[in-house]
Amino acid sequence: MTVDHPAIRVRGLAKSYGTVEVLRGVDFDVARGSILALLGANGSGKTTTVRILATLLKADAGTAVVNGFDVGAQAAEVRESISLTGQFAAVDGVLSGRENLVLIARLRHLDDPGAVADGLLRRFSLTDAAARRVSTYSGGMRRRLDIAMSLVGRPAVIFLDEPTAGLDPEGRIEVWRAVEELVGGGVTVLLTTQYLDEAERLADRVAILREGRIVVNGTLDELRRLLPPATVEYVEKQPTLEEVFLAVVGRRA
Amino acid sequence: MTIGDTAVLTGRTLRHVTRSADTVITTAVTPIAMMLMFVFVFGGAIDTGPTRYIDYMLPGILLITIASGIAYTSLRLFTDLASGMFERFRSMPIARSGLLWAHVLTSLAANLISLVIVVGVALIIGFRSGADVLGWLAVTGILVLFTLASTWIAVIAGLTAKTVEGGSAFAYPLIFLPFLSSAFVPTASMPGPVRWFADNQPVTSIVDTIRDLFAEQPVGDDIRPALAWCAGILVVAHVLAMVVYRRKIA
Ligand SMILES: Nc1ncnc2c1ncn2[C@@H]1O[C@H](COP(=O)(O)OP(=O)(O)O)[C@@H](O)[C@H]1O
Ligand SMILES: [Mg+2]
């Protein structure tokens, strides 16, 4: 494991379910300490890719190396290096927010699970709700807790599979802030999304998955250069539904 | 580390039990209602010789208690799979067998609590046993073995269920099995083919053994098939559950 190797390296990854070829040779790298957004329509294979990288699913062909470890041959080491926030918030509704965090901290054999939990609760503005059962949380709060649980033990690589799917605009912004919190600590993030604006806001690079392959991979500027040159038009700007919603509930992005 | 992780995970599922006390109560209430009905309504019409009816039928009620308790085990397992908690644990560096064992140990604990409640009510309405500590230990041992065997069946159901209802439906035949055994009525009173089934199915030998232990009688020929059934079901269900589990997480 050398520092100049990318944190994630994927080459020729292929996966079929029965006769349905979902991945047909996916290649991409994620540099250490950066955020890559894997952008793709519903059913394009984003979750399949993430589950292979998180050792939950075996690929049919190709290689994937995470934090210097092969996902097939060194699954245990990969699991030591990663955390997964799946497409649906995987939180324990019967436990309180704090108990959820303490549980993960104990499973990661940390020295002071209570202190780790309290720190994360503060960081994700969940301190007030810490003692409440998670089943009473809003969608945005569940997601924030979900992401906080993924940070326990400071894994080197974090997978976020559609972290804002199914959230209202307010919840979406809460989660965006939580993801922005991750940056800076040297952590590497692979994020999947269906939304260009989400990729734009959060990611250093964007890879577009289509028909089982990465069709475009670049920085946002590089992606913009692929579009026809901008023309200047004057249009009356209508507020977006999102802006209206946020104005009504009294919050700003 | 594996044992430590399993302990942490078991602590979590035990909290699920203590925080939904209604599941423990529901588990105990149905067998208690059956017990009251059999003892006070039907019992007078059933001839169990010199044995008092409550003493005769309690072992069967205890097995029904376990059969209704394990439905919650498969329900908790199914919920963990459906909620994504299982995937979260599986992507962490913890032993994967620990995930199942946490549910199995919790099932054992929850069922023992329900059994204590049911025996408590039985004592109140007149159940008496002169069995000594060794006798009670033997009864407990058989009940633990039966719980483990049924729990691994519940694990298979929880792992393969597509819906919540599917996850607990498997328990109904198990709850019904004691009715086709010597649990409530001596098999001698049953018509030919039913009697043959009742004499040869696992519940009869288990129930007869427990009854003998409670009555301080020699357990005789029943204990061998009773233990063989429990151990056999335990081994087969455990192996099957592990096969299903590996296939599920492959
Ligand atoms: N376990 C499975 N069995 C069969 N088909 C599946 C399975 N999981 C996903 N698929 C199919 O594979 C395709 C890609 O799914 P997925 O990776 O979940 O896409 P995305 O996350 O981009 O929406 C979809 O067409 C989906 O129906
Ligand atoms: Mg998906």
Side-chain angles (χ1 to χ4, degrees):
Chain A
M1 182 179 105
T2 42
V3 182
D4 45 319
H5 277 178
I8 303 174
R9 165 155 285 182
V10 177
R11 288 292 177 272
L13 209 60
K15 177 74 191 176
S16 306
Y17 295 108
T19 57
V20 186
E21 282 185 81
V22 178
L23 304 179
R24 308 158 180 243
V26 169
D27 304 305
F28 64 85
D29 287 347
V30 186
R32 209 163 279 281
S34 74
I35 301 191
L36 175 83
L38 189 61
L39 187 68
N42 204 1
S44 58
K46 302 183 295 295
T47 298
T48 302
T49 307
V50 166
R51 295 188 73 230
I52 292 170
L53 295 180
T55 74
L56 297 178
L57 191 67
K58 284 203 173 21
D60 298 336
T63 56
V65 177
V66 174
N67 202 26
F69 303 111
D70 184 272
V71 293
Q74 296 166 292
E77 287 83 357
V78 171
R79 285 181 211 129
E80 294 277 359
S81 312
I82 63 159
S83 74
L84 167 67
T85 300
Q87 190 166 350
F88 306 99
V91 292
D92 188 329
V94 177
L95 302 186
S96 71
R98 188 170 189 277
E99 286 169 337
N100 267 282
L101 288 162
V102 168
L103 170 72
I104 302 296
R106 291 178 68 191
L107 289 173
R108 289 206 183 265
H109 310 295
L110 302 186
D111 283 336
D112 192 348
V116 172
D118 291 332
L120 283 164
L121 288 164
R122 228 174 295 125
R123 216 170 126 190
F124 287 87
S125 316
L126 288 167
T127 306
D128 291 343
R132 249 166 59 202
R133 273 198 198 195
V134 169
S135 55
T136 66
Y137 282 19
S138 72
M141 290 166 76
R142 289 171 76 95
R143 257 304 176 191
R144 260 156 44 209
L145 176 65
D146 195 23
I147 295 173
M149 282 162 78
S150 287
L151 295 194
V152 172
R154 302 170 189 277
V157 177
I158 295 179
F159 299 109
L160 298 172
D161 193 8
E162 298 202 30
T164 62
L167 293 184
D168 60 22
E170 216 184 333
R172 239 178 130 202
I173 287 162
E174 284 175 17
V175 168
W176 283 353
R177 290 221 181 96
V179 175
E180 282 161 350
E181 276 278 307
L182 305 181
V183 196
V187 62
T188 306
V189 179
L190 173 64
L191 164 120
T192 78
T193 181
Q194 298 188 40
Y195 308 111
L196 189 59
D197 61 335
E198 184 159 296
E200 196 171 359
R201 166 138 181 188
L202 298 175
D204 302 308
R205 290 180 75 87
V206 178
I208 299 180
L209 182 60
R210 191 157 181 271
E211 289 173 356
R213 290 193 180 82
I214 301 293
V215 289
V216 179
N217 185 343
T219 63
L220 280 163
D221 284 339
E222 287 165 358
L223 257 62
R224 283 204 192 90
R225 264 179 255 135
L226 296 174
L227 298 170
T231 53
V232 178
E233 277 179 46
Y234 292 94
V235 289
E236 192 176 354
K237 187 174 176 296
Q238 294 289 336
T240 63
L241 190 60
E242 187 164 321
E243 284 165 337
V244 173
F245 180 91
L246 292 169
V248 172
V249 300
R251 307 245 180 134
R252 283 164 31 116
Chain B
M1 276 319 176
T2 303
I3 291 174
D5 292 341
T6 307
V8 171
L9 290 167
T10 307
R12 166 183 171 263
T13 33
L14 278 175
R15 266 194 193 154
H16 284 221
V17 174
T18 54
R19 288 195 187 166
S20 49
D22 55 313
T23 61
V24 179
I25 293 168
T26 314
T27 303
V29 157
T30 315
I32 287 172
M34 281 185 195
M35 178 163 68
L36 295 177
M37 208 156 76
F38 269 93
V39 169
F40 294 116
V41 183
F42 308 134
I46 300 171
D47 180 13
T48 52
T51 313
R52 289 159 65 238
Y53 191 62
I54 174 89
D55 296 344
Y56 181 87
M57 56 88 77
L58 183 65
I61 289 290
L62 297 181
L63 297 198
I64 288 181
T65 308
I66 294 167
S68 42
I70 55 163
Y72 290 103
T73 300
S74 66
L75 192 65
R76 283 190 291 268
L77 191 55
F78 175 82
T79 310
D80 265 3
L81 285 165
S83 72
M85 275 318 270
F86 233 74
E87 292 239 305
R88 163 157 251 143
F89 294 141
R90 281 180 45 219
S91 69
M92 293 176 65
I94 47 185
R96 292 181 165 192
S97 60
L99 299 179
L100 289 188
W101 273 105
H103 281 278
V104 170
L105 294 175
T106 301
S107 174
L108 196 55
N111 276 299
L112 286 176
I113 296 171
S114 302
L115 288 169
V116 168
I117 296 173
V118 172
V119 171
V121 173
L123 286 168
I124 292 170
I125 63 169
F127 166 73
R128 291 294 174 266
S129 162
D132 55 8
V133 175
L134 272 182
W136 279 95
L137 273 181
V139 169
T140 309
I142 291 171
L143 291 174
V144 164
L145 207 54
F146 183 77
T147 306
L148 285 175
S150 338
T151 295
W152 281 105
I153 298 176
V155 168
I156 299 173
L159 286 172
T160 51
K162 301 273 185 286
T163 61
V164 176
E165 291 77 22
S168 48
F170 78 97
Y172 298 130
L174 286 182
I175 294 172
F176 194 67
L177 220 44
F179 292 99
L180 291 176
S181 79
S182 66
F184 300 108
V185 185
T187 58
S189 65
M190 297 174 184
V194 180
R195 177 176 181 184
W196 181 87
F197 178 80
D199 279 338
N200 291 290
Q201 64 125 324
V203 171
T204 295
S205 59
I206 298 169
V207 158
D208 289 351
T209 302
I210 296 175
R211 194 182 291 132
D212 288 343
L213 287 166
F214 276 147
E216 299 161 281
Q217 299 291 319
V219 287
D221 290 342
D222 286 321
I223 190 148
R224 243 178 286 152
L227 291 179
W229 273 116
C230 286
I233 296 169
L234 176 58
V235 168
V236 172
H238 176 76
V239 168
L240 268 179
M242 294 315 285
V243 168
V244 171
Y245 186 49
R246 276 199 206 99
R247 194 165 297 169
K248 181 114 192 159
I249 68 174

